[in-house]
């Protein structure tokens, strides 16, 4: 009988895994939220607290409602979905969307387990345990791999950083809502539940 032991690692210790090893680890550890950097470093994200979970469901729910009301354009994903980016990283945005045109261009093999595509739209919701510089770097990585619009929502600082394919991030202080712009036409995210 196998015994489970807890392993605590300092930040200075890094594990590197191949994409195949990552897929095996993810399959055998479905209760963990795992990611992999472009250089193969394994990232283990702790579970979020109830406040982050409640905020995340609000964001995902509003995006899904837009998706349903607009005849299911593309594909909508929650935080449990990982994507293999062109640079080799395997990341899981808190909420994301891929256009029909890009999704339909994927082969069956490219759609396997962690689709080989970077979402057109991503949302990262900063939780208490997220280091700001790390999550900002993640947003830049999404952009570098093809994301057209990204929102980093930071309840702690009560700001939103809007990332677009062109230009520096736009920083908004406690906005009431956000527009999906030309990426998600007609989508408006209401943030009243986020700032509570």
């Amino acid at each position: 009988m196998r015994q489970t032991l807890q392993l605590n690692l300092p930040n200075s210790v890094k594990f590197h895994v191949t994409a195949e090893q990552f897929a095996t680890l993810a399959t055998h550890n479905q209760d963990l939220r795992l990611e992999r950097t472009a250089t193969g470093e394994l990232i283990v994200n702790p579970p979020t607290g109830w406040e982050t979970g409640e905020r995340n469901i609000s964001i995902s729910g509003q995006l899904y409602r837009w998706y349903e009301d607009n005849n299911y354009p593309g594909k909508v994903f929650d935080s449990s979905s990982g994507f293999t980016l062109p640079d080799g990283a395997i990341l899981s945005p808190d909420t994301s969307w891929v256009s029909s045109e890009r999704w339909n261009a994927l082969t069956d093999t490219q759609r396997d387990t962690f689709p080989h595509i970077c979402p057109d739209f991503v949302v990262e919701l900063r939780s208490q345990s997220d280091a700001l510089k790390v999550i900002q770097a993640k947003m830049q990585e999404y952009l570098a791999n093809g994301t057209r619009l990204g929102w980093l929502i930071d309840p702690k600082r009560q700001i939103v950083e809007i990332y677009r394919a062109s230009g520096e991030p736009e920083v908004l202080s406690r906005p009431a809502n956000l527009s999906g712009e030309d990426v998600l036409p007609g989508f408006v995210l209401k943030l009243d539940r986020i700032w509570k």
Side-chain angles (χ1 to χ4, degrees):
M1 183 170 169
R2 195 165 42 166
Q3 181 181 6
T4 302
L5 300 174
Q6 182 175 338
L7 177 64
N8 296 308
L9 297 173
N11 288 338
S12 60
V13 175
K14 309 288 183 203
F15 282 114
H16 287 80
V17 296
T18 66
E20 294 76 20
Q21 290 169 329
F22 178 85
T24 301
L25 279 170
T27 299
H28 288 86
N29 295 280
Q30 294 184 11
D31 292 339
L32 296 177
R33 187 165 172 217
L34 303 174
E35 294 181 304
R36 177 185 179 269
T37 67
T39 59
E41 183 183 327
L42 181 66
I43 301 167
V44 180
N45 296 303
T48 63
W50 71 267
E51 288 176 306
T52 300
E54 182 180 44
R55 289 174 176 138
N56 210 10
I57 196 67
S58 174
I59 295 166
S60 296
Q62 289 181 64
L63 179 61
Y64 191 82
R65 230 174 289 124
W66 168 85
Y67 173 71
E68 226 176 16
D69 292 346
N70 287 276
N71 226 7
Y72 306 98
K75 296 283 184 186
V76 172
F77 301 93
D78 73 359
S79 62
S80 62
S81 303
F83 297 90
T84 304
L85 306 188
D87 69 3
I90 301 173
L91 301 179
S92 300
D94 289 319
T95 301
S96 57
W97 175 81
V98 177
S99 69
S100 297
E101 179 183 355
R102 293 183 64 237
W103 183 261
N104 293 335
L106 296 176
T107 65
D108 289 343
T109 302
Q110 291 171 321
R111 288 183 194 168
D112 237 10
T113 312
F114 305 113
H116 290 254
I117 193 166
C118 185
D120 295 88
F121 170 72
V122 298
V123 177
E124 287 290 348
L125 177 63
R126 185 182 183 199
S127 66
Q128 293 291 338
S129 62
D130 288 329
L132 182 59
K133 288 188 181 208
V134 170
I135 202 165
Q136 287 172 326
K138 193 174 177 182
M139 296 301 292
Q140 292 294 344
E141 186 166 14
Y142 289 131
L143 284 182
N145 280 277
T147 290
R148 296 166 42 211
L149 179 64
W151 298 336
L152 191 168
I153 301 173
D154 187 346
K156 185 177 184 177
R157 295 184 304 149
Q158 302 248 315
I159 65 147
V160 174
E161 295 180 10
I162 301 174
Y163 292 76
R164 298 179 183 94
S166 58
E168 290 296 309
E170 178 183 0
V171 179
L172 303 177
S173 179
R174 202 178 160 92
N177 48 55
L178 297 171
S179 165
E181 303 177 4
D182 61 342
V183 178
L184 301 168
F187 177 53
V188 176
L189 178 69
K190 296 176 185 172
L191 293 163
D192 56 329
R193 304 289 303 165
I194 305 304
W195 304 135
K196 290 186 175 190

